[in-house]
Amino acid sequence: YALLQDSGVSIDSMLAQAFGTRLARGIAPSLITALLARAKLGTTSTGDLNTSGATGATSIGYQDLVKLKTSVNSAYRASGKVYWLMNDNTLTALDSLVDKQGSPILTPQYINGVRYLLGYPVGICPSLPDIGAGNIPLLFGATSFFAFRRVEGEGALIRLVERYVESLEIGFKSFLRANGTLLCASGA
């Protein structure tokens, strides 16, 4: 209670930012589940099927990247919102690819602090699974075809003053309702 009274900084704003980050991290796995449920293996913006990796079920090689990239229609690839999506472990595995002489196959490229892969930006998505049999660890496509919906008026940061008044404490609670889906998953 005293911290709220004596602070020269807006504690409510700091908590709103902290809760926002935490809510986003909590919602992301559900959004990825919704995306993967509508998408097909080797996901692309139009739901094209990249059926088999050239390097096997538990690895991703350069050929797999090229195949996935070209499985997206060139009209979608030309849009400004095309991304590779993967978690940090997948990006590390791709950065670790070497040829027979031990030289890196992919040279990390950054433009204005954004990582690029084969000419397209990389988005780190911690909710995507690691490379492994039966997993979809890598997505490529026009992210503008993923719709995110936040229910208007269904998110709040609530200050609980009366609940803890006897101990001169204040509690905070936050919640948010949201969902998302892939549009045009069948390419229609």
Side-chain angles (χ1 to χ4, degrees), residues 55-97:
T55 57
T58 59
S59 63
I60 298 174
Y62 184 79
Q63 297 156 316
D64 300 319
L65 297 173
V66 171
K67 186 175 180 181
L68 180 57
K69 182 179 98 169
T70 56
S71 72
V72 175
N73 185 291
S74 61
Y76 293 110
R77 289 194 317 257
S79 87
K81 295 196 175 194
V82 176
Y83 284 85
W84 295 96
L85 297 175
M86 65 193 80
N87 69 25
D88 280 319
N89 293 334
T90 301
L91 183 58
T92 299
L94 294 177
D95 285 344
S96 300
L97 292 174

Side-chain angles (χ1 to χ4, degrees), residues 108-186:
Q109 178 187 16
Y110 291 87
I111 300 174
N112 296 327
V114 176
R115 173 65 191 275
Y116 276 72
L117 177 64
L118 301 180
Y120 295 93
V122 173
I124 298 299
C125 185
S127 302
L128 281 171
D130 290 338
I131 297 170
N135 290 345
I136 302 175
L138 180 65
L139 307 174
F140 176 76
T143 57
S144 57
F145 285 88
F146 185 77
F148 173 74
R149 175 180 162 262
R150 179 180 170 268
V151 179
E152 192 65 36
E154 286 294 324
L157 173 62
I158 301 169
R159 185 187 285 198
L160 305 169
V161 178
E162 293 83 13
R163 184 170 188 172
Y164 303 106
V165 71
E166 290 180 10
S167 57
L168 293 175
E169 295 177 350
I170 296 176
F172 292 88
K173 181 178 182 177
S174 183
F175 66 94
L176 176 68
R177 283 184 48 211
N179 63 8
T181 190
L182 182 66
L183 305 174
C184 302
S186 65

Side-chain angles (χ1 to χ4, degrees), residues 1-85:
Y1 184 73
L3 178 64
L4 290 173
Q5 289 180 327
D6 299 339
S7 178
V9 179
S10 172
I11 301 297
D12 288 343
S13 295
M14 287 176 41
L15 286 173
Q17 183 177 2
F19 275 118
T21 300
R22 186 65 200 132
L23 287 169
R25 293 174 82 189
I27 290 170
S30 296
L31 294 177
I32 291 301
T33 300
L35 174 63
L36 295 178
R38 294 279 321 268
K40 297 176 181 164
L41 183 61
T43 305
T44 67
S45 63
T46 58
D48 296 335
L49 187 59
N50 182 16
T51 54
S52 61
T55 57
T58 59
S59 63
I60 298 174
Y62 184 79
Q63 297 156 316
D64 300 319
L65 297 173
V66 171
K67 186 175 180 181
L68 180 57
K69 182 179 98 169
T70 56
S71 72
V72 175
N73 185 291
S74 61
Y76 293 110
R77 289 194 317 257
S79 87
K81 295 196 175 194
V82 176
Y83 284 85
W84 295 96
L85 297 175

